Amino acid sequence: RGGGGRGGVPAGVSCPECTFLNPPGSPKCNMCNSALSPRPSNGGGGGVSAGVASADDEELSLEELGARYPSCSPNTHRALAALDHNAIDYELVAQVLAWISTLRTDASTQVNEWLRKANGKNRRGGGTEADDAPPPAGPDEDPDEGPGQQRNDAVLVFLPGLKEITSVQEALMATPAFRQEPQRSWVLPLHSSVPPEEQRKAFVRPPAGVRKIVLATNIAETAITVDDVAFVVDTGRMKENRYD
């Protein structure tokens, strides 16, 4: 790529030891002091070079992303190339949650069947945007299903902090799937700033036919247990303290 990133901005160098993204040309990692080697260009041999294999997705060109994810469609490669890895796409998170909330009781079978068909089309080539789309949601098969059934299992969303939790909550409330009751009342922020009585609702099972959405920081990974979670959406961002 001539050593440049998107828009003419040089790509940083990812440390193979701690994954810290260093400025271009850095001889050593600014975080762990490990030696850094420049990433060689993809020499057109059709494979993935050692430098590309150790690089983060945001450092790769469209062609390199295609080499890293050969089973994915060209639409997926273009989406990865256009993705801003430093930002959370709240609209995309809301769309994913809206789709999950409509899955039938056989959710795992439904998703696996879609993945099998999508992977088969991608291997044959010629995939379209319609091929990449999730399957259309079907009606609930059993409107009287109770707690413990797939339709009632919760979704846990990991976000960096309260600002991001509020942004996702607002994005969900703007969608048809979550703007009406009772689903609207089961989009639950879980944060230390939330009153205890509201936090406790995250551990209560919702009524039949309602999907509970818990918006939390990564503290929910270790400090608490929401025992009816069946889906996890991780935005890949967290806040942490660093000391020089």
Side-chain angles (χ1 to χ4, degrees):
R1 291 188 300 172
R6 296 185 189 91
V9 179
V13 182
S14 179
C15 176
E17 299 296 329
C18 69
T19 72
F20 183 77
L21 190 62
N22 296 272
S26 301
K28 293 185 177 181
C29 176
N30 293 339
M31 179 60 64
C32 67
N33 210 35
S34 299
L36 300 175
S37 56
R39 179 164 61 88
S41 61
N42 204 5
V48 179
S49 68
V52 170
S54 63
D56 293 331
D57 283 353
E58 60 263 39
E59 300 177 55
L60 304 183
S61 68
L62 182 60
E63 293 76 14
E64 291 166 342
L65 286 168
R68 170 170 286 182
Y69 303 107
S71 64
C72 295
S73 71
N75 289 325
T76 302
H77 301 153
R78 286 192 290 271
L80 287 171
L83 182 66
D84 183 352
H85 291 261
N86 295 316
I88 296 174
D89 190 335
Y90 300 113
E91 182 180 355
L92 177 60
V93 174
Q95 290 175 356
V96 170
L97 294 175
W99 175 69
I100 290 175
S101 72
T102 63
L103 290 176
R104 301 187 301 263
T105 53
D106 59 339
S108 59
T109 302
Q110 190 179 1
V111 173
N112 287 332
E113 178 65 14
W114 166 62
L115 290 173
R116 184 186 65 78
K117 290 180 178 178
N119 288 335
K121 290 176 181 177
N122 291 338
R123 283 193 295 269
R124 292 192 300 269
T128 65
E129 291 187 12
D131 298 333
D132 293 337
D140 292 337
E141 296 177 343
D142 183 2
D144 297 322
E145 63 190 7
Q149 299 298 319
Q150 187 70 42
R151 183 66 174 87
N152 284 81
D153 287 342
V155 184
L156 177 60
V157 185
F158 288 126
L159 295 153
L162 182 60
K163 174 181 178 294
E164 292 78 13
I165 288 175
T166 302
S167 296
V168 170
Q169 186 177 19
E170 292 173 350
L172 286 174
M173 297 307 179
T175 64
F178 293 96
R179 67 165 61 112
Q180 302 294 333
E181 296 292 356
Q183 183 64 73
R184 181 184 182 91
S185 295
W186 288 92
V187 178
L188 308 174
L190 191 58
H191 190 268
S192 59
S193 63
V194 176
E197 60 271 16
E198 294 183 21
Q199 292 187 38
R200 283 193 284 271
K201 191 175 181 180
F203 306 97
V204 177
R205 291 184 181 269
V210 176
R211 184 81 72 184
K212 179 172 67 178
I213 309 293
V214 180
L215 309 176
T217 61
N218 64 333
I219 193 173
E221 288 187 273
T222 54
I224 61 173
T225 300
V226 182
D227 62 3
D228 58 340
V229 168
F231 302 91
V232 175
V233 177
D234 193 341
T235 58
R237 290 288 179 269
M238 62 179 289
K239 292 181 179 179
E240 62 180 13
N241 293 323
R242 291 187 177 184
Y243 301 95
D244 188 348

